[in-house]
């Protein structure tokens, strides 16, 4: 059974950093890609970043490029999202999801975690 559990959210001041974790079970990271998505209050969900299962190639939304870094630890079957230089507009519930890369890029992965809240505020 595929499961994803996010952790690491919280309250941080503008300019600060957080690292989100996505612990996967029921599959290994070389089988499916992993994507991070976020949804801010009153806004549509948007893709943030993803990492390809076959070779670990990474992709980022323009809004986070240069500030966020996605990585994985195959031994722990966990994917991370390091978020630096956080801005108030990064405030959202962050979800990780898994499926084939094309489905993640399309924004319609089959498996989702329950999300973790990130609040950027002074």
């Amino acid at each position: 059974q595929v499961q994803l559990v996010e952790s690491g959210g919280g309250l941080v001041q503008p300019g600060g950093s957080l690292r989100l974790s996505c612990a996967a079970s029921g599959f290994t990271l070389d089988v499916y890609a992993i994507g991070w998505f976020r949804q801010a209050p009153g806004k549509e969900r948007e893709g943030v970043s993803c990492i390809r299962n076959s070779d670990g190639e990474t992709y980022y939304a323009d809004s986070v490029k240069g500030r966020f870094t996605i990585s994985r630890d195959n031994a722990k079957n966990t994917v991370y999202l390091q978020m630096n230089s956080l801005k108030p507009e990064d405030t959202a519930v962050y979800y990780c999801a898994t499926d084939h890369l094309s489905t993640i890029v399309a924004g319609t992965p089959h498996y989702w975690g329950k999300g973790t809240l990130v609040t950027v505020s002074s």
Side-chain angles (χ1 to χ4, degrees):
Q1 181 181 1
V2 172
Q3 287 191 322
L4 300 169
V5 179
E6 303 94 337
S7 61
L11 174 64
V12 63
Q13 292 187 343
S17 299
L18 280 176
R19 189 179 78 157
L20 305 183
S21 299
C22 173
S25 60
F27 71 102
T28 54
L29 298 180
D30 60 340
V31 174
Y32 289 131
I34 297 283
W36 283 99
F37 295 79
R38 66 186 181 185
Q39 187 163 23
K43 294 188 177 181
E44 292 189 355
R45 185 177 65 208
E46 64 172 338
V48 174
S49 180
C50 59
I51 186 165
R52 189 159 64 187
N53 52 299
S54 58
D55 59 3
E57 184 163 353
T58 58
Y59 306 86
Y60 298 93
D62 287 342
S63 59
V64 306
K65 205 171 292 184
R67 300 188 299 122
F68 290 11
T69 302
I70 190 171
S71 63
R72 66 184 183 185
D73 184 333
N74 289 343
K76 295 183 178 180
N77 220 37
T78 298
V79 172
Y80 304 98
L81 186 69
Q82 178 67 43
M83 306 186 296
N84 298 330
S85 302
L86 283 162
K87 305 174 181 179
E89 51 263 44
D90 294 317
T91 295
V93 178
Y94 284 71
Y95 301 89
C96 65
T98 189
D99 207 324
H100 297 292
L101 181 63
S102 58
T103 308
I104 290 179
V105 170
T108 57
H110 187 72
Y111 301 101
W112 292 85
K114 293 184 178 180
T116 186
L117 176 63
V118 172
T119 304
V120 185
S121 175
S122 55

